[in-house]
PDB file of all heavy atoms in Angstrom:
ATOM      1  N   ASN M   7      86.043  82.528 109.536  1.00 96.00           N
ATOM      2  CA  ASN M   7      86.456  82.634 110.945  1.00 96.00           C
ATOM      3  C   ASN M   7      85.767  83.839 111.567  1.00 96.00           C
ATOM      4  O   ASN M   7      85.501  84.786 110.986  1.00 96.00           O
ATOM      5  CB  ASN M   7      87.982  82.648 111.096  1.00 96.00           C
ATOM      6  CG  ASN M   7      88.571  83.942 110.559  1.00 96.00           C
ATOM      7  OD1 ASN M   7      88.632  84.952 111.225  1.00 96.00           O
ATOM      8  ND2 ASN M   7      89.002  83.834 109.274  1.00 96.00           N
ATOM      9  N   PRO M   8      85.425  83.653 112.846  1.00 96.00           N
ATOM     10  CA  PRO M   8      85.589  82.425 113.668  1.00 96.00           C
ATOM     11  C   PRO M   8      84.509  81.427 113.279  1.00 96.00           C
ATOM     12  O   PRO M   8      83.523  81.738 112.607  1.00 96.00           O
ATOM     13  CB  PRO M   8      85.435  82.875 115.082  1.00 96.00           C
ATOM     14  CG  PRO M   8      84.454  84.030 114.946  1.00 96.00           C
ATOM     15  CD  PRO M   8      84.814  84.711 113.678  1.00 96.00           C
ATOM     16  N   LEU M  11      81.107  81.895 117.721  1.00 93.00           N
ATOM     17  CA  LEU M  11      81.170  83.250 118.333  1.00 93.00           C
ATOM     18  C   LEU M  11      79.982  83.493 119.320  1.00 93.00           C
ATOM     19  O   LEU M  11      78.870  83.315 118.962  1.00 93.00           O
ATOM     20  CB  LEU M  11      81.105  84.311 117.233  1.00 93.00           C
ATOM     21  CG  LEU M  11      81.119  85.808 117.643  1.00 93.00           C
ATOM     22  CD1 LEU M  11      82.383  86.098 118.429  1.00 93.00           C
ATOM     23  CD2 LEU M  11      81.053  86.675 116.401  1.00 93.00           C
ATOM     24  N   MET M  13      78.573  86.222 121.938  1.00 91.00           N
ATOM     25  CA  MET M  13      78.703  87.700 122.261  1.00 91.00           C
ATOM     26  C   MET M  13      77.501  88.183 123.030  1.00 91.00           C
ATOM     27  O   MET M  13      76.408  87.571 123.080  1.00 91.00           O
ATOM     28  CB  MET M  13      78.877  88.469 120.958  1.00 91.00           C
ATOM     29  CG  MET M  13      77.815  88.256 119.919  1.00 91.00           C
ATOM     30  SD  MET M  13      78.281  88.929 118.310  1.00 91.00           S
ATOM     31  CE  MET M  13      78.373  90.683 118.589  1.00 91.00           C
ATOM     32  N   LYS M  17      76.765  94.518 121.402  1.00 95.00           N
ATOM     33  CA  LYS M  17      78.153  94.585 120.935  1.00 95.00           C
ATOM     34  C   LYS M  17      78.220  94.505 119.383  1.00 95.00           C
ATOM     35  O   LYS M  17      77.239  93.997 118.751  1.00 95.00           O
ATOM     36  CB  LYS M  17      78.988  93.488 121.601  1.00 95.00           C
ATOM     37  CG  LYS M  17      78.971  93.494 123.038  1.00 95.00           C
ATOM     38  CD  LYS M  17      79.757  94.651 123.600  1.00 95.00           C
ATOM     39  CE  LYS M  17      79.959  94.592 125.087  1.00 95.00           C
ATOM     40  NZ  LYS M  17      80.681  95.790 125.644  1.00 95.00           N
ATOM     41  N   ASN M  18      79.353  94.879 118.878  1.00 96.00           N
ATOM     42  CA  ASN M  18      79.666  94.813 117.506  1.00 96.00           C
ATOM     43  C   ASN M  18      80.622  93.682 117.218  1.00 96.00           C
ATOM     44  O   ASN M  18      81.559  93.448 118.091  1.00 96.00           O
ATOM     45  CB  ASN M  18      80.227  96.097 116.918  1.00 96.00           C
ATOM     46  CG  ASN M  18      79.299  97.288 117.149  1.00 96.00           C
ATOM     47  OD1 ASN M  18      78.100  97.137 117.258  1.00 96.00           O
ATOM     48  ND2 ASN M  18      79.882  98.449 117.301  1.00 96.00           N
ATOM     49  N   TYR M  19      80.479  92.997 116.072  1.00 94.00           N
ATOM     50  CA  TYR M  19      81.493  91.985 115.727  1.00 94.00           C
ATOM     51  C   TYR M  19      81.448  91.730 114.241  1.00 94.00           C
ATOM     52  O   TYR M  19      80.554  92.154 113.521  1.00 94.00           O
ATOM     53  CB  TYR M  19      81.313  90.686 116.514  1.00 94.00           C
ATOM     54  CG  TYR M  19      82.635  89.972 116.730  1.00 94.00           C
ATOM     55  CD1 TYR M  19      83.416  90.383 117.806  1.00 94.00           C
ATOM     56  CD2 TYR M  19      83.019  89.001 115.941  1.00 94.00           C
ATOM     57  CE1 TYR M  19      84.632  89.768 118.021  1.00 94.00           C
ATOM     58  CE2 TYR M  19      84.262  88.380 116.138  1.00 94.00           C
ATOM     59  CZ  TYR M  19      85.028  88.764 117.190  1.00 94.00           C
ATOM     60  OH  TYR M  19      86.265  88.125 117.403  1.00 94.00           O
ATOM     61  N   THR M  20      82.611  91.156 113.780  1.00 96.00           N
ATOM     62  CA  THR M  20      82.736  90.860 112.341  1.00 96.00           C
ATOM     63  C   THR M  20      83.122  89.423 112.072  1.00 96.00           C
ATOM     64  O   THR M  20      83.953  88.908 112.806  1.00 96.00           O
ATOM     65  CB  THR M  20      83.878  91.750 111.725  1.00 96.00           C
ATOM     66  OG1 THR M  20      83.485  93.120 111.998  1.00 96.00           O
ATOM     67  CG2 THR M  20      84.002  91.511 110.269  1.00 96.00           C
ATOM     68  N   ILE M  21      82.431  88.831 111.095  1.00 97.00           N
ATOM     69  CA  ILE M  21      82.737  87.452 110.629  1.00 97.00           C
ATOM     70  C   ILE M  21      83.527  87.643 109.281  1.00 97.00           C
ATOM     71  O   ILE M  21      83.152  88.451 108.484  1.00 97.00           O
ATOM     72  CB  ILE M  21      81.463  86.615 110.401  1.00 97.00           C
ATOM     73  CG1 ILE M  21      80.681  86.526 111.767  1.00 97.00           C
ATOM     74  CG2 ILE M  21      81.865  85.246 109.869  1.00 97.00           C
ATOM     75  CD1 ILE M  21      79.346  85.913 111.594  1.00 97.00           C
ATOM     76  N   TYR M  22      84.553  86.822 109.168  1.00 98.00           N
ATOM     77  CA  TYR M  22      85.422  86.950 107.910  1.00 98.00           C
ATOM     78  C   TYR M  22      85.298  85.703 107.034  1.00 98.00           C
ATOM     79  O   TYR M  22      85.185  84.593 107.578  1.00 98.00           O
ATOM     80  CB  TYR M  22      86.895  87.088 108.412  1.00 98.00           C
ATOM     81  CG  TYR M  22      87.155  88.329 109.179  1.00 98.00           C
ATOM     82  CD1 TYR M  22      86.987  88.378 110.565  1.00 98.00           C
ATOM     83  CD2 TYR M  22      87.488  89.486 108.551  1.00 98.00           C
ATOM     84  CE1 TYR M  22      87.187  89.484 111.309  1.00 98.00           C
ATOM     85  CE2 TYR M  22      87.725  90.664 109.306  1.00 98.00           C
ATOM     86  CZ  TYR M  22      87.583  90.680 110.655  1.00 98.00           C
ATOM     87  OH  TYR M  22      87.763  91.783 111.424  1.00 98.00           O
ATOM     88  N   CYS M  23      85.426  85.956 105.781  1.00 97.00           N
ATOM     89  CA  CYS M  23      85.268  84.900 104.761  1.00 97.00           C
ATOM     90  C   CYS M  23      86.332  85.093 103.750  1.00 97.00           C
ATOM     91  O   CYS M  23      86.328  86.096 103.011  1.00 97.00           O
ATOM     92  CB  CYS M  23      83.895  84.918 104.149  1.00 97.00           C
ATOM     93  SG  CYS M  23      83.674  83.718 102.812  1.00 97.00           S
ATOM     94  N   TRP M  34      76.042  85.396 101.198  1.00 96.00           N
ATOM     95  CA  TRP M  34      75.920  85.067 102.652  1.00 96.00           C
ATOM     96  C   TRP M  34      74.547  84.507 102.939  1.00 96.00           C
ATOM     97  O   TRP M  34      73.510  85.025 102.402  1.00 96.00           O
ATOM     98  CB  TRP M  34      76.093  86.402 103.465  1.00 96.00           C
ATOM     99  CG  TRP M  34      77.431  86.823 103.656  1.00 96.00           C
ATOM    100  CD1 TRP M  34      78.160  87.735 102.850  1.00 96.00           C
ATOM    101  CD2 TRP M  34      78.487  86.277 104.554  1.00 96.00           C
ATOM    102  NE1 TRP M  34      79.464  87.905 103.285  1.00 96.00           N
ATOM    103  CE2 TRP M  34      79.663  87.054 104.293  1.00 96.00           C
ATOM    104  CE3 TRP M  34      78.452  85.365 105.597  1.00 96.00           C
ATOM    105  CZ2 TRP M  34      80.880  86.801 105.079  1.00 96.00           C
ATOM    106  CZ3 TRP M  34      79.600  85.168 106.316  1.00 96.00           C
ATOM    107  CH2 TRP M  34      80.782  85.914 106.041  1.00 96.00           C
ATOM    108  N   MET M  62      75.774  94.095 107.885  1.00 98.00           N
ATOM    109  CA  MET M  62      76.327  94.758 106.687  1.00 98.00           C
ATOM    110  C   MET M  62      77.415  93.831 106.114  1.00 98.00           C
ATOM    111  O   MET M  62      78.280  93.285 106.877  1.00 98.00           O
ATOM    112  CB  MET M  62      76.971  96.040 107.079  1.00 98.00           C
ATOM    113  CG  MET M  62      77.508  96.796 105.832  1.00 98.00           C
ATOM    114  SD  MET M  62      78.040  98.487 106.268  1.00 98.00           S
ATOM    115  CE  MET M  62      79.528  98.079 107.130  1.00 98.00           C
ATOM    116  N   SER M  64      80.382  93.154 103.041  1.00 96.00           N
ATOM    117  CA  SER M  64      81.199  93.866 102.031  1.00 96.00           C
ATOM    118  C   SER M  64      82.054  92.796 101.322  1.00 96.00           C
ATOM    119  O   SER M  64      82.255  91.687 101.787  1.00 96.00           O
ATOM    120  CB  SER M  64      82.034  94.831 102.694  1.00 96.00           C
ATOM    121  OG  SER M  64      83.013  94.232 103.581  1.00 96.00           O
ATOM    122  N   LEU M  71      88.321  88.622 100.102  1.00 94.00           N
ATOM    123  CA  LEU M  71      87.818  88.702 101.489  1.00 94.00           C
ATOM    124  C   LEU M  71      86.463  89.316 101.493  1.00 94.00           C
ATOM    125  O   LEU M  71      86.246  90.318 100.861  1.00 94.00           O
ATOM    126  CB  LEU M  71      88.816  89.490 102.358  1.00 94.00           C
ATOM    127  CG  LEU M  71      88.327  89.803 103.792  1.00 94.00           C
ATOM    128  CD1 LEU M  71      88.273  88.613 104.619  1.00 94.00           C
ATOM    129  CD2 LEU M  71      89.224  90.886 104.404  1.00 94.00           C
ATOM    130  N   SER M  72      85.567  88.688 102.212  1.00 96.00           N
ATOM    131  CA  SER M  72      84.234  89.326 102.505  1.00 96.00           C
ATOM    132  C   SER M  72      84.083  89.341 103.992  1.00 96.00           C
ATOM    133  O   SER M  72      84.603  88.531 104.710  1.00 96.00           O
ATOM    134  CB  SER M  72      83.125  88.486 101.867  1.00 96.00           C
ATOM    135  OG  SER M  72      81.860  89.092 102.200  1.00 96.00           O
ATOM    136  N   THR M  73      83.412  90.402 104.465  1.00 97.00           N
ATOM    137  CA  THR M  73      83.101  90.533 105.879  1.00 97.00           C
ATOM    138  C   THR M  73      81.625  90.638 106.118  1.00 97.00           C
ATOM    139  O   THR M  73      80.930  91.228 105.292  1.00 97.00           O
ATOM    140  CB  THR M  73      83.856  91.705 106.516  1.00 97.00           C
ATOM    141  OG1 THR M  73      83.436  92.903 105.887  1.00 97.00           O
ATOM    142  CG2 THR M  73      85.309  91.567 106.428  1.00 97.00           C
ATOM    143  N   LEU M  74      81.142  90.142 107.225  1.00 98.00           N
ATOM    144  CA  LEU M  74      79.711  90.290 107.637  1.00 98.00           C
ATOM    145  C   LEU M  74      79.867  90.949 109.027  1.00 98.00           C
ATOM    146  O   LEU M  74      80.294  90.384 109.986  1.00 98.00           O
ATOM    147  CB  LEU M  74      79.038  88.910 107.688  1.00 98.00           C
ATOM    148  CG  LEU M  74      77.544  89.026 108.150  1.00 98.00           C
ATOM    149  CD1 LEU M  74      76.740  89.773 107.108  1.00 98.00           C
ATOM    150  CD2 LEU M  74      77.051  87.578 108.365  1.00 98.00           C
ATOM    151  N   HIS M  75      79.469  92.243 109.064  1.00 97.00           N
ATOM    152  CA  HIS M  75      79.557  92.989 110.313  1.00 97.00           C
ATOM    153  C   HIS M  75      78.204  93.065 111.018  1.00 97.00           C
ATOM    154  O   HIS M  75      77.176  93.345 110.336  1.00 97.00           O
ATOM    155  CB  HIS M  75      80.063  94.390 109.972  1.00 97.00           C
ATOM    156  CG  HIS M  75      80.370  95.162 111.203  1.00 97.00           C
ATOM    157  ND1 HIS M  75      81.443  94.968 112.024  1.00 97.00           N
ATOM    158  CD2 HIS M  75      79.699  96.207 111.757  1.00 97.00           C
ATOM    159  CE1 HIS M  75      81.468  95.745 113.002  1.00 97.00           C
ATOM    160  NE2 HIS M  75      80.437  96.576 112.903  1.00 97.00           N
ATOM    161  N   ILE M  76      78.238  92.820 112.276  1.00 96.00           N
ATOM    162  CA  ILE M  76      77.054  92.873 113.036  1.00 96.00           C
ATOM    163  C   ILE M  76      77.091  94.114 114.007  1.00 96.00           C
ATOM    164  O   ILE M  76      78.120  94.220 114.774  1.00 96.00           O
ATOM    165  CB  ILE M  76      76.887  91.579 113.944  1.00 96.00           C
ATOM    166  CG1 ILE M  76      76.878  90.376 112.998  1.00 96.00           C
ATOM    167  CG2 ILE M  76      75.631  91.634 114.775  1.00 96.00           C
ATOM    168  CD1 ILE M  76      77.511  89.172 113.619  1.00 96.00           C
ATOM    169  N   THR M  77      76.162  94.898 113.931  1.00 96.00           N
ATOM    170  CA  THR M  77      76.147  96.181 114.762  1.00 96.00           C
ATOM    171  C   THR M  77      75.056  96.049 115.874  1.00 96.00           C
ATOM    172  O   THR M  77      73.923  95.699 115.581  1.00 96.00           O
ATOM    173  CB  THR M  77      75.795  97.357 113.838  1.00 96.00           C
ATOM    174  OG1 THR M  77      76.808  97.465 112.805  1.00 96.00           O
ATOM    175  CG2 THR M  77      75.820  98.649 114.696  1.00 96.00           C
ATOM    176  N   THR M 105      79.719  79.998 110.558  1.00 96.00           N
ATOM    177  CA  THR M 105      80.023  80.583 111.835  1.00 96.00           C
ATOM    178  C   THR M 105      78.751  80.503 112.712  1.00 96.00           C
ATOM    179  O   THR M 105      77.740  81.096 112.386  1.00 96.00           O
ATOM    180  CB  THR M 105      80.439  82.072 111.640  1.00 96.00           C
ATOM    181  OG1 THR M 105      81.644  82.125 110.919  1.00 96.00           O
ATOM    182  CG2 THR M 105      80.635  82.723 113.043  1.00 96.00           C
TER     183      THR M 105
END
Side-chain angles (χ1 to χ4, degrees):
Chain M
N7 68 84
L11 177 58
M13 55 193 293
K17 300 292 187 182
N18 303 332
Y19 211 83
T20 301
I21 299 171
Y22 298 89
C23 176
W34 284 97
M62 183 175 70
S64 65
L71 171 69
S72 180
T73 60
L74 180 65
H75 187 72
I76 303 148
T77 301
T105 297

